[in-house]
Amino acid sequence: MTSIEESKRLRTVAEQAAQLMREPLLAAFRSNMDVDYKVDLHDVVTRHDREAEVAIRAFILAEVPGSVVIGEEAGESGAGRVRWYVDPIDGTSNFARGFAFWCVSVGVAIEGQVVAGAVYDPVAGNLFSADLTGAWLNGEPLRSCAISDERQATLITGYPVARDFRLDGQEQTLSNFGELVETFSTLRRPGSGALSLCHVAAGWVDASAGFGSNPWDVAAAVLILRQAGGSYYPLTLGKVDAGVPDFMCPGYVALGEGADYPTLMRVASGISAGREAARAVRPKLSVAGGSP
C-alpha cells in the first residue's frame, strides 16, 4: 500500500525529473539536428532523447534509491518496488521537425498502480502533475470538462499510422477514420500521446484515442487525467491479456468529464476486437501450417 505522503514525495521527484532537461531541450528545439530511425522511417529518435533519458534516469536513481527506471531508449535498470516510466521526449518527430507539440513524461507505479506522475511541455511552460490526492497544472488544481455531444466535440488522436494499415487493412482503417472525421466537429492528429491526454485533462480538447501506446507514453498522463475527473478506457488490441494494469495496454480512449461519445467508443472497441480476433487465429494457423 502506498501512503499519501509517499505519493506526494514521488510526485515532487517526478516534477523535478520532468523539468530537469528543460534548457538543453529548448536549445536543441528548432536547431539543425541529426535524426536516426529505430523500427522504420516513422520511428524517429535523436541524441537529445538519449541524453535526456540518461540524465533523468541518474537523477531518479539518486533521489529515490530502490527504484527501477524503464525508459523508452535504454530499457530497464535499477531494482526495487518503485517503478518509473520515462519518456524523455514524447513526440520526437514533432521535436525534430520544429512542431511545438512534445513533452517529457515521468510516471511512477508501485505494485501495478500509478501513484504519481508529471508531464512537462517545455515550449508552453506547462507542468501537469498528479498524485493520489489530485491533479495540477503549474501548481493550480486541474479539472477536466468536455462537451457532452460528440458532434460538437474535438477529438485528438494519432490514428491512423502505417502500422494500423498493416494490421487492419487500408479499407477498414480508412473507414474507421472517415467515421470519426464525419462524427466529430473537429479531429486533429498532433502527435504525443502524453500531451494529448493532458489536454483532455485540462479541458482544452474533449477526447483522445491511441492505438499504439507504450507504458512510458501514458503512465503519468493516465493518473493526471483521472485525478482531473476524466475517464480512461484501456484497449488490449490483441497484444496483452485482459487484467493487466491500464497503462500497460497499448490502446485507449480518454474522455473529458461529461463526455458521452458512442461513435468513438464503438469504433475503438471494434478496432480492439478485430485485433483480438486476429490474435486468437494466429496460433491455430501456425499449428495448421506446421509439420505433421
Side-chain angles (χ1 to χ4, degrees), residues 121 124 126 128 137 142 145 154 195 198-206:
D121 176 350
N126 286 327
F128 304 87
L137 170 58
L142 185 64
C145 64
T154 295
L195 199 51
C198 288
H199 275 57
V200 179
W204 298 339
V205 296
D206 302 294

Side-chain angles (χ1 to χ4, degrees), residues 14-33:
E15 290 175 340
Q16 293 169 341
Q19 297 175 90
L20 183 68
M21 295 296 286
R22 176 183 182 275
E23 296 304 327
L25 291 178
L26 285 177
F29 183 53
R30 292 177 177 161
S31 69
N32 292 324
M33 69 178 77

Side-chain angles (χ1 to χ4, degrees), residues 69-108:
V69 179
I70 301 99
E72 178 174 14
E73 307 307 331
E76 182 173 320
S77 62
R81 64 187 278 274
V82 184
R83 299 177 67 84
W84 300 76
Y85 293 87
V86 175
D87 194 337
I89 304 176
D90 185 41
T92 299
S93 295
N94 292 343
F95 171 78
R97 193 63 188 89
F99 179 49
F101 199 86
W102 54 276
C103 64
V104 182
S105 178
V106 180
V108 195

